[in-house]
Amino acid sequence: MTAGSTLLLKSLSLLQKDGLFFTSIDRDENRNYLPLLFTIFGQENFIEEVVWQKAYGGGSKTKHINNLHEYVHVFSKCKEFTAFLELPPDKRVAKYYKFKDAKVALRGPYRLQPLNTNSNDFRKNLTFPLPIPNKQTYGSEEWNKCRQEIAKLIANKELELTGDFDSGWSFRSGSKEWSGDTILPPRQWQWSWEKTKKALIDDEITIELVDSEWSINYKQYQYDENGKERSKKPASICVGPYTQAGTDYIRNLFSYDAAKFTKPVELIEGFIGIGYRDSNARFLDYFAGSGTTGNAVINLNRQDNGNRKYILVEQGEYFDTVLQPRIQKVVYSADWKEGKATAPQTGISHAFKVLKIESYEDTLNNLQLRRTAQQQDLLDTLPQSAQEDYLLRYMLDIESRDSLLSVEQFHKPFECALKVTVDSAGAYEERSIDLVETFNYLIGLRVKHIDMQLEQGFVTVTGWLPTGEKTLVLWRDVERVNYEALNRLCEKLAINPADSEFEVVYINGDHNIPAVFTTTEEEGGITKTLKIRQIEPEFLQRMFSMEV
């Protein structure tokens, strides 16, 4: 399995069942990438291939055809659970909603849209006629009164459509064929008879005579029946915003070209804005680059006071010089010019956490090998291929075991430190490592509360495991919180099945607390079990597991 396949499989596992996956690729690699996406997500979960025109003009040095576009592929984890996709309302089209009727208080103004369509997808069931008053009375009071009567007849099922395209359509009133006039579509209607019938009853279809031709339109209101403004539909072609806009944005933010050829924030806003009504959505970008995705999420939250969250992953050195300061800047102000905030009043409340993950270089810096001089002499006599095999299959596993993170380091967990690489030349310095938070991530704990009692030598974390079990994690300085002190602390924290609200308790270091507490309540015979687990083996197994 390739690294790309592995990454895509991980992406699939991280998505919720109604989640969407967006990925961009240029023309040259698209032919190789798309089959891989279909293999991982399945043909049935393909949503769309979006063509993004990223540049304009130019191409004077291009020998053949000037390439101006990239692709953005959209897949779902499970298409049957994918919600109706929509974008925020386009304020530029508000001016087209200029007509009003009795529904204006709830639905707002409306615009007229053709009921007829010239779609190549011809369907016979959309070719039915519409009942209208006598054509000779058009424009008179009699016309208007008759239209109201037709709507009532349809509502009371006293006027019904019968027949089909092949045998011929007709309206019947009871046992008699209706004698009124009708209008057929030039090709076919956009709606089924059921939907059209409801619109006729609700007075949401207009019939006008324009230049001796009948014009049939439906009323498209600015707001739906629940008072929500009409959204915009995503499209498979994006003309702009152009790459230059991304470069200009960074230049205004920092006053210099801190990063070049970044994706425009408006482009990413468009993609994360799909399904914008979910203001608590979460977004993961594991090739975060300059931080455009985080920037876009912040912008969208600023617009509708949302609570969307983002996770950005990046290993480039510009994380510290571009990505992190960019997030800080856009939180402080929505607009920047030449590195200066031009709208600080638009600053929003925002908190983000930076997690620095151990690198390959950090691992090497902390390895301590256990090898005698005789073993080294023997190793030197082996062929190069054998030495490499020894390195991969034995040395990194056996000789360096427990040197990166040993059980002893858990005795004083709040003082744990590792040698961390600080530059590309290989220099390093000792830095504190947060074992508490690392363990929360390793066991997948959904944290509810953290109580830091460092002066007393312990920290407690409460939350829920992925299994749903309510859990307490107790970290302690083993020298300060010894056996006796730990027992007193457990009594204080009600770590026993009779009183505890927890189902699982993790504790570091050696202790004399039973691994399982079980008690049976006399009334009802209910058995309660409290599981006590040791942190060290769980931590090391999950930290160094080789499972993909």
Side-chain angles (χ1 to χ4, degrees), residues 118-165:
N118 291 318
S119 170
N120 289 328
D121 180 23
F122 180 74
R123 288 191 280 174
K124 294 179 180 180
N125 66 316
L126 300 181
T127 63
F128 54 84
L130 295 183
I132 65 170
N134 188 310
K135 295 177 181 178
Q136 301 301 321
T137 65
Y138 175 75
S140 66
E141 185 63 31
E142 181 182 352
W143 167 277
N144 295 328
K145 184 178 180 181
C146 188
R147 280 211 63 195
Q148 294 173 7
E149 291 175 354
I150 290 173
K152 289 180 181 178
L153 289 171
I154 295 173
N156 295 330
K157 297 184 178 180
E158 296 176 15
L159 182 60
E160 296 186 302
L161 179 66
T162 61
D164 55 35
F165 178 83

Side-chain angles (χ1 to χ4, degrees), residues 281-315:
R282 299 178 182 179
F283 302 89
L284 166 64
D285 185 347
Y286 44 70
F287 291 112
S290 67
T292 306
T293 297
N295 194 156
V297 172
I298 292 169
N299 287 357
L300 203 58
N301 280 341
R302 181 181 271 121
Q303 292 169 20
D304 62 8
N305 197 31
N307 191 36
R308 302 169 186 83
K309 296 180 175 63
Y310 59 84
I311 300 173
L312 308 180
V313 181
E314 183 53 62
Q315 63 179 2

Side-chain angles (χ1 to χ4, degrees), residues 239-276:
V239 179
Y242 305 111
T243 304
Q244 186 59 45
T247 301
D248 292 342
Y249 184 90
I250 293 295
R251 186 179 297 138
N252 278 323
L253 205 58
F254 290 91
S255 78
Y256 64 95
D257 290 339
K260 291 185 177 181
F261 310 115
T262 63
K263 284 189 168 57
V265 68
E266 295 88 350
L267 178 73
I268 306 303
E269 277 184 39
F271 291 127
I272 69 169
I274 292 177
Y276 71 100

Side-chain angles (χ1 to χ4, degrees), residues 27 85 93 328 498:
R27 174 206 58 196
L85 301 183
V93 304
Q328 293 170 311

Side-chain angles (χ1 to χ4, degrees), residues 324-343:
Q324 184 173 332
R326 176 179 187 172
I327 297 299
Q328 293 170 311
K329 283 174 174 286
V330 298
V331 165
Y332 178 71
S333 173
D335 296 298
W336 292 74
K337 183 71 174 177
E338 297 179 352
K340 298 179 181 179
T342 57

